[in-house]
C-alpha cells in the first residue's frame, strides 16, 4: 500500500510539474533571468517533496501552483511596465566599449576579469582587442559587438545579392511520412514516393529523415 502511495504521489508530482512548466512557458528552459532561476529551483524542490509526501500531498501541490501563478503574473507585469521589468529582471551592463574595460560595471554585474575573459572565449573572441562593445545581459550572458574590421564579410559588403533561403520542411521523420507538411507545401504522397524511388529507396521506411525545400528539392537521409 505504501509503495502504491509513493507511485501515485510521484505521478501527481510529475503531472503537476509538467502542466505548471507549460503554463509558465519555455523561458524556464531557455533564457533564465534571476527570478526564473529561483522559481525553477524552488518548484523543482517542491515537486520532489510532493513525490514523497504521502500524508498531505495537497500542501506542496498548492505551493507549486502558487509559485507558478506568481511567475505568470510577474511575466505579465514585466511585459507591460518598463520600470517593473528593470526592477525585477535588471538591465544590461556595458563591460567593455571602445577598448575600455569598466571596472565599476564589472563589480555591478558581479563578475571578475577572469570570468569576463572566459565569456569572451566562449563567444569565440580569444583576443579582446577584436571587441568593440561587450554587454553583460540581465540573463547572465555576454553579448559582443566585434570591431568593424573583425566582422565577417557579408554578401552586402561585396555587392552580391544571393537568392533568399527558406527553412526546409520535414516530410519524412523516422520512416514516417508527414502528411500535414506535404499538404501545406501543395504536395502529396504520390509525388513523395516517386521521389524516394528516384533516389534509390524502396519506400519511406528506409528513410530516417526527409527534407524538402521551397523549390521541391528533396534531401533524404538513410536509416542506419
Amino acid at each position: 500500500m505504501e509503495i502504491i502511495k509513493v507511485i501515485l504521489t510521484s505521478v501527481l508530482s510529475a503531472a503537476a510539474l509538467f502542466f505548471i512548466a507549460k503554463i509558465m512557458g519555455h523561458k524556464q528552459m531557455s533564457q533564465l533571468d534571476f527570478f526564473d532561476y529561483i522559481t525553477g529551483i524552488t518548484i523543482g524542490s517542491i515537486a520532489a517533496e510532493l513525490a514523497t509526501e504521502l500524508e498531505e500531498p495537497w500542501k506542496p501541490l498548492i505551493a507549486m501552483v502558487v509559485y507558478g501563478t506568481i511567475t505568470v503574473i510577474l511575466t505579465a507585469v514585466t511585459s507591460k511596465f518598463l520600470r517593473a521589468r528593470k526592477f525585477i529582471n535588471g538591465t544590461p551592463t556595458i563591460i567593455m566599449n571602445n577598448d575600455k574595460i569598466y571596472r565599476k560595471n564589472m563589480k555591478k554585474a558581479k563578475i571578475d576579469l577572469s570570468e569576463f575573459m572566459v565569456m569572451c572565449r566562449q563567444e569565440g573572441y580569444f583576443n579582446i582587442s577584436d571587441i568593440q562593445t561587450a554587454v553583460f545581459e540581465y540573463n547572465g550572458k555576454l553579448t559582443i559587438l566585434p570591431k568593424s574590421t573583425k566582422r565577417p564579410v557579408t554578401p552586402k559588403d561585396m555587392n552580391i545579392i544571393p537568392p533568399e533561403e527558406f527553412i526546409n520542411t520535414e516530410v519524412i521523420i523516422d520512416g514516417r511520412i508527414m502528411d500535414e507538411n506535404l499538404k501545406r507545401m501543395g504536395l502529396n504522397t504520390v509525388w513523395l514516393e516517386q521521389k524516394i524511388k528516384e533516389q534509390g529507396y524502396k519506400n519511406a521506411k528506409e528513410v530516417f529523415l526527409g527534407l524538402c525545400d521551397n523549390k521541391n528539392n528533396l534531401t533524404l537521409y538513410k536509416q542506419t
Side-chain angles (χ1 to χ4, degrees):
M1 189 65 181
E2 196 79 6
I3 296 176
I4 295 176
K5 287 184 178 180
V6 172
I7 293 173
L8 291 176
T9 53
S10 298
V11 171
L12 177 62
S13 173
L17 190 59
F18 174 78
F19 285 111
I20 290 173
K22 292 291 286 184
I23 293 172
M24 292 169 62
H26 291 167
K27 187 179 179 183
Q28 281 286 326
M29 295 183 292
S30 56
Q31 297 177 334
L32 290 175
D33 56 34
F34 181 71
F35 187 78
D36 290 326
Y37 178 75
I38 293 174
T39 54
I41 292 176
T42 305
I43 290 177
S45 300
I46 297 173
E49 181 182 347
L50 172 59
T52 56
E53 177 58 63
L54 305 180
E55 299 299 327
E56 297 177 317
W58 56 270
K59 288 184 177 180
L61 178 61
I62 291 175
M64 289 178 65
V65 173
V66 169
Y67 266 94
T69 303
I70 291 173
T71 303
V72 171
I73 292 173
L74 287 179
T75 300
V77 170
T78 53
S79 64
K80 189 173 183 180
F81 302 102
L82 181 60
R83 290 185 179 180
R85 187 187 313 164
K86 290 181 178 179
F87 177 75
I88 295 172
N89 293 338
T91 55
T93 304
I94 296 177
I95 303 298
M96 179 179 177
N97 187 49
N98 198 23
D99 293 326
K100 292 181 180 179
I101 299 176
Y102 299 101
R103 184 186 296 267
K104 290 183 179 179
N105 288 356
M106 291 182 69
K107 290 182 178 179
K108 180 182 176 182
K110 294 180 175 59
I111 61 172
D112 56 34
L113 190 58
S114 297
E115 290 175 314
F116 173 65
M117 297 294 291
V118 169
M119 290 179 175
C120 290
R121 290 194 293 271
Q122 288 176 338
E123 294 298 318
Y125 294 89
F126 288 78
N127 188 349
I128 64 172
S129 62
D130 295 341
I131 298 173
Q132 176 64 35
T133 305
V135 181
F136 187 75
E137 306 291 354
Y138 66 83
N139 62 358
K141 295 183 179 180
L142 189 70
T143 303
I144 293 176
L145 174 68
K147 291 182 177 179
S148 57
T149 55
K150 298 297 180 179
R151 296 173 193 170
V153 177
T154 64
K156 185 177 180 180
D157 296 329
M158 303 177 67
N159 294 322
I160 298 175
I161 304 177
E164 292 290 340
E165 294 185 0
F166 299 88
I167 298 175
N168 290 340
T169 301
E170 297 93 346
V171 292
I172 301 175
I173 298 178
D174 199 15
R176 298 180 180 179
I177 297 176
M178 302 291 103
D179 295 312
E180 289 295 327
N181 292 351
L182 278 173
K183 188 182 296 183
R184 189 169 61 249
M185 297 184 69
L187 304 173
N188 53 46
T189 54
V190 175
W191 173 88
L192 181 60
E193 289 171 356
Q194 181 182 348
K195 290 293 183 181
I196 291 172
K197 291 178 180 179
E198 288 178 1
Q199 296 194 29
Y201 297 92
K202 293 180 181 179
N203 50 52
K205 292 182 180 179
E206 294 184 353
V207 180
F208 181 61
L209 176 66
L211 301 174
C212 188
D213 62 17
N214 64 309
K215 295 181 180 178
N216 295 343
N217 294 317
L218 184 66
T219 303
L220 302 178
Y221 297 88
K222 189 176 181 179
Q223 295 269 21
T224 56

